[in-house]
Amino acid sequence: QVQLVESGGGLVQAGGSLRLSCAASGGTFRIYAMGWFRQAPGKEREFVGRIVWSSGRTYYADSRKGRFTISRDNAKNMVYLQIDSLKSDDTAVYYCAADLSYTTIYNNPSVYEYWGQGTQVTVSS
């Protein structure tokens, strides 16, 4: 059983930056990739990006390229999401998720087997 715990959310002014963290534990050797998603009130959960655990290769939603950066620290079993130039539209609950196998539909939440509880990011204008 993989456990995921996000942290680092909070209230930030537009234009600022934030780094979210995701701590993984319990069977992390099974993880193929880690994804970040977000969900704003009244909206569906949407894909932000993904990082392959072993290689560090990253994939981003087209609309997230440039301001979002995913990285990982394998030794600490940590994954990070750096968000720069924050906008009010970035206000959402951000989730990390673990995928245990390779997939081409990595932007689909259903392929991820484990999820964290989420961390709230609120951007004030």
Side-chain angles (χ1 to χ4, degrees):
Q1 190 84 357
V2 176
Q3 293 87 39
L4 304 173
V5 179
E6 302 96 335
S7 61
L11 177 63
V12 62
Q13 287 190 335
S17 297
L18 205 60
R19 189 177 82 154
L20 306 181
S21 301
C22 175
S25 62
T28 55
F29 64 92
R30 301 170 60 198
I31 297 174
Y32 174 79
M34 294 288 293
W36 282 98
F37 289 77
R38 69 184 189 181
Q39 188 167 18
K43 295 187 177 181
E44 292 187 352
R45 192 165 297 189
E46 60 180 5
F47 175 72
V48 175
R50 169 184 173 104
I51 187 165
V52 178
W53 194 257
S54 58
S55 67
R57 182 173 180 178
T58 52
Y59 305 81
Y60 297 95
D62 288 342
S63 59
R64 311 284 176 261
K65 291 179 181 177
R67 295 194 300 117
F68 294 76
T69 305
I70 298 174
S71 60
R72 95 273 192 239
D73 184 332
N74 287 22
K76 296 181 179 179
N77 289 330
M78 297 289 295
V79 175
Y80 306 99
L81 175 64
Q82 175 77 27
I83 313 174
D84 298 317
S85 302
L86 279 156
K87 307 175 181 180
S88 57
D89 289 349
D90 294 322
T91 295
V93 177
Y94 284 73
Y95 299 90
C96 65
D99 185 2
L100 304 185
S101 59
Y102 171 81
T103 180
T104 57
I105 51 171
Y106 47 76
N107 60 339
N108 189 329
S110 66
V111 306
Y112 294 82
E113 287 86 353
Y114 297 97
W115 292 81
Q117 82 290 347
T119 185
Q120 175 71 47
V121 172
T122 303
V123 182
S124 62
S125 56

